[in-house]
Amino acid sequence: MASDTNLTALRATAPADTGEKTVFKILLAISFCHLLNDTVQSLIPAIYPILRTSFHLNLGQIGLIALTSQVTASLLQPLVGLYTDRRPQPYSLTVGMGITLIGLLAFSMAPSFGTILVAAALVGIGSAVFHPESSRVARLASGGQHGMAQSLFQVGGNAGTALGPSLAALALPRGQSSIAWYSLMALLGMVLLTNIGTWMSQHRSYRLKSFPNDPASSTSLESAHPHHVLPRGKVAFCLAILVALMFSKFFYLASLISYYTFYLMSRFHLSVHNAQLHLSLFLGAVAAGTFIGGPVGDKIGRKFVIWCSILGVLPFTLVLPYPNLLWTTILSVVIGFILASAFSAILVYAQELVPGRVGAVSGLFFGFAFGLGGVGAALLGKLADLTDLNFVYHVCSFLPAIGILTAFLPNLEPPKPGMPAPARSSV
């Protein structure tokens, strides 16, 4: 068992330890595939108004669609990551995108609400297969700049999430069957991911078949991770705090991603088209914030980024339910930008807490992201049915106060005036 752990850890640390350079070609390719994957996924919330009209759905049923897709992804991602940590499957990325393609075709032909839920589950399964291994690709190609690599990877997904509603506003008014056209994006993703899978299979961490169970190797690994000596109880406590911060972030994001269009239509009497464009603007700010968070975390420390991102957004969320349309738009952009900068920092921080488990940790935290977003969408939808969306946004405005828990996280790297040494933070 110990040898398996050392094997995985040494595989994960090989790029940084051997001085490999950042492979931007692979990082850009996997980021673009993330864009394709999340563009497809963002079609689901973007078509809620159309589905609501076509199938006479209430907000609770809308939340159930989000719950089905996101919880399916959240339950499977940690399992996929744990499996691929032990038995890497480079071509599983292509399989995951293929499942997403099938889900899109099912969405375009769904005759009933039950079939819509099945299609949403297929998209969730495709996401569950895609994210853990693609996060590993980003780390392998990082050359030790793990925060930058994760941010570049994440910004592709967030850009896709922002692009989806805009594409939906252009194409989906033609009807539910037009969703099938988006399967071409999934097909393109399958081609690119096959090439990435070939690169992964040729990477040294996949070619090496065994490592000697050498005490010197274990000592070297611990020296590369000074925080690895933390007691298991302390590591579990830190992970629990990170989960609480994820809860704050993704419950609040669920309130905006799933119901922002309805909020704008109800309060400011916008059309569906204009409301979707406002949602795209907010999601674009989320993408920009995601890109900034990782490199800044590499330079000044991930704990500081987490602190500023979660707790720092509180004043803006408290004000959001009150102003006019212009200031609502401005505040939503500021909130999206600040809040999104936390995820890459949280993910890399968690990877450093649990060395040698890149896939499992990535799957766990991507899973939490999807699961918390899905549960949040369902619960907030029910709350909106019982009250109204104004009340929902008043309640959610206090969620970033959970960011105060960041004070209990240890610093995993010593303060540095410049970029931290990549090898010290590798997993």
Side-chain angles (χ1 to χ4, degrees), residues 52-136:
R52 187 181 187 185
T53 300
S54 300
F55 295 94
H56 308 290
L57 306 179
N58 57 38
L59 289 178
Q61 290 173 307
I62 294 292
L64 187 59
I65 296 173
L67 179 67
T68 300
S69 174
Q70 296 179 12
V71 171
T72 301
S74 71
L75 292 176
L76 291 179
Q77 285 197 44
L79 299 177
V80 172
L82 186 62
Y83 180 83
T84 55
D85 275 338
R86 295 182 175 276
R87 297 177 178 83
Q89 304 290 329
Y91 294 104
S92 64
L93 292 168
T94 306
V95 174
M97 191 63 75
I99 295 173
T100 297
L101 187 151
I102 295 172
L104 283 174
L105 295 177
F107 246 122
S108 68
M109 299 180 289
S112 65
F113 178 67
T115 312
I116 289 174
L117 292 181
V118 172
L122 288 172
V123 174
I125 292 171
S127 175
V129 176
F130 174 82
H131 282 96
E133 198 70 355
S134 58
S135 183
R136 188 196 308 277

Side-chain angles (χ1 to χ4, degrees), residues 152-387:
L152 186 57
F153 170 65
Q154 289 298 324
V155 79
N158 286 334
T161 302
L163 181 62
S166 297
L167 294 179
L170 294 174
L172 295 182
R174 301 177 183 177
Q176 179 185 350
S177 61
S178 62
I179 299 174
W181 286 103
Y182 293 93
S183 63
L184 296 176
M185 300 177 66
L187 185 61
L188 173 61
M190 292 178 68
V191 173
L192 294 175
L193 289 171
T194 299
N195 292 331
I196 292 173
T198 300
W199 176 83
M200 290 179 69
S201 65
Q202 295 172 351
H203 194 276
R204 64 166 292 154
S205 66
Y206 282 79
R207 293 199 311 266
L208 294 176
K209 299 301 182 183
S210 62
F211 286 93
N213 189 14
D214 185 1
S217 300
S218 178
T219 302
S220 176
L221 181 62
E222 289 182 6
S223 67
H225 300 280
H227 54 275
H228 186 58
V229 299
L230 289 175
R232 287 189 178 183
K234 182 67 173 178
V235 171
F237 177 70
C238 293
L239 290 175
I241 291 176
L242 295 178
V243 169
L245 297 175
M246 295 274 287
F247 166 82
S248 169
K249 170 183 166 63
F250 284 101
F251 253 63
Y252 191 85
L253 285 179
S255 72
L256 287 175
I257 293 174
S258 296
Y259 302 111
Y260 191 46
T261 54
F262 297 118
Y263 176 75
L264 295 175
M265 292 163 61
S266 172
R267 183 173 179 188
F268 301 111
H269 310 291
L270 298 185
S271 66
V272 172
H273 177 77
N274 287 333
Q276 287 175 333
L277 292 179
H278 278 76
L279 177 61
S280 288
L281 186 62
F282 163 75
L283 294 173
V286 170
T290 301
F291 180 74
I292 294 297
V296 172
D298 282 339
K299 289 181 178 295
I300 66 175
R302 288 174 248 288
K303 178 180 174 180
F304 184 76
V305 171
I306 296 169
W307 181 272
C308 293
S309 176
I310 304 294
L311 190 63
V313 81
L314 180 61
F316 304 102
T317 61
L318 291 174
V319 173
L320 182 65
Y322 301 101
N324 59 24
L325 177 61
L326 174 62
W327 280 105
T328 295
T329 303
I330 293 172
L331 285 170
S332 67
V333 168
V334 172
I335 289 169
F337 181 85
I338 296 176
L339 196 57
S341 63
F343 186 70
S344 294
I346 290 174
L347 179 60
V348 177
Y349 188 101
Q351 290 173 345
E352 292 172 351
L353 274 175
V354 190
R357 290 288 181 258
V358 176
V361 170
S362 299
L364 181 65
F365 277 82
F366 277 114
F368 271 125
F370 280 86
L372 291 173
V375 171
L379 293 180
L380 294 176
K382 278 295 184 183
L383 182 61
D385 282 336
L386 295 173
T387 56

